[in-house]
Amino acid sequence: MAKKKQSPKYKKRKGLFAFECVILAVLLVFLGGSIWVTMKFSLINFERLDSSRVLTSDEVNSGDTQDDTTGSETAETENDYGLSGYEMIALVGIDTRDGVDAMNSDTMIIACLNHGEKSIKLVSLYRDTYLNVGEYEGEDLYTKANSAYGIGGAEQLLTMLNLNLDLNITEFASVRFLALAETIELLGGLDIDMTREEVIHLNNYNIETAEACGMEYEALELPSELEFDGAMTRTFHVNGSQAVSYARIRYTSGNDFRRAARQRLVLQLTLDKAKSAGVGTLNSILNEVLPDVTTNMDNSKIMTYAAALLSYSITDQTGFPFDHYEDDGTLTGNDNVVAVTLESNVIQLHEFLLPGMSYEPSSTVKSYSDYIIYKTGLGLDDVPSYSEDGTIPIWTGETETSDESVTGEESAYTTDESVYTEESYDTGY
């Protein structure tokens, strides 16, 4: 099929991209093995959820014959902390600054803990994914996945994840974006391998990020093209606001796919650095970050996780949906990411999270998938053949158009090394 470059969409958005959810896992590491940590629990915001509004796949599909093994399967071995089997937690990033009305969950990560193997897998749900986000004004609403939290809070977000993906998640944690910058700043920054265009975009995004975080703007020095061309990567040391800005980058090949990958990379680097930090540093981070954390997990559960996670490792990470198109508004009326198909993508998700376990999609997932096929006209015959490289194909109705908006010198989107003004630069929100 023919391919062409997509013209970028410049949209003025309010608010700052919220990447803060990754801090939760860092906090759990901080808690481990510390006697004084019990005194810190009062800083965390505990939110008791209405359990009647949190629907799980097992509850809704109790009459189905499928073997739904998600979230409750028991492993053969039990680890040193009395934990066994698999558990999943929803990590949520929201922007709750004063004056910001929308509270969409612009970062959604499913953390799957395998207690038998002491491992963690992470799955980023692309925020623009076209899903059934739940009931709105008496009817099921199909729209961007990140709107579920804004419509009905954590209960509706968890229900959306569970019913669209055949999961049984009942625990969540959300964190405000400032927490990430503060944590990385106190850890002394991160070392990140970046391309030339990533450095350029980081500097542009950091104008707003630094201001929102109350930090002084500092641009990364960009070597000349003779020393550092578009085909190279180089390690740069970044501070807190720069790391957040790196995670916000959207305008590179792969768009939201690559942005989600950057989020998971920053999570991994932050976890690694936190494990070697001193008690004094961790104490300072707890004082700064815990007031920005909201969760429905009680203190005993947090303490159990905290002690265990010191010995856990992130073994794999990916983004969802795997096979997808980016809709330019032709199919759904909005710029959504369309899973092709939802059912086949959910099968891949279960194979990734719970390899070797028997799984058959529930009637709910099949009905949601059928509706999306009906709405978009995209079925199994339309599964894109080149999604795995991180490129989100654009559906034009006749051709697959890869999102190559930023590809160095041939880019349709400028990578001018000058600093953009807030009025002219899309925040990527």
Side-chain angles (χ1 to χ4, degrees), residues 275-308:
K275 288 182 178 181
S276 61
V279 173
T281 298
L282 298 181
N283 186 54
S284 297
I285 293 173
L286 286 171
N287 289 334
E288 289 289 334
V289 173
L290 287 183
D292 291 327
V293 176
T294 300
T295 183
N296 66 331
M297 289 185 285
D298 59 31
N299 291 352
S300 61
K301 188 63 172 290
I302 293 175
M303 178 62 84
T304 302
Y305 276 162

Side-chain angles (χ1 to χ4, degrees), residues 247-298:
R248 295 176 61 201
I249 295 173
R250 187 171 188 175
Y251 290 108
T252 63
S253 179
N255 202 327
D256 203 31
F257 186 102
R258 284 292 303 132
R259 179 172 60 178
R262 291 187 188 97
Q263 295 171 14
R264 297 191 302 271
L265 173 62
V266 172
L267 168 57
Q268 178 71 70
L269 294 174
T270 306
L271 278 169
D272 291 344
K273 196 153 190 180
K275 288 182 178 181
S276 61
V279 173
T281 298
L282 298 181
N283 186 54
S284 297
I285 293 173
L286 286 171
N287 289 334
E288 289 289 334
V289 173
L290 287 183
D292 291 327
V293 176
T294 300
T295 183
N296 66 331
M297 289 185 285
D298 59 31

Side-chain angles (χ1 to χ4, degrees), residues 28-41:
L28 297 179
V29 172
F30 296 160
L31 296 177
S34 301
I35 298 175
W36 41 262
V37 74
T38 54
M39 300 175 61
K40 304 293 181 182
F41 284 138

Side-chain angles (χ1 to χ4, degrees), residues 409-420:
E409 294 181 359
E410 299 180 357
S411 172
Y413 182 83
T414 180
T415 53
D416 186 348
E417 296 174 18
S418 62
V419 175
Y420 289 83

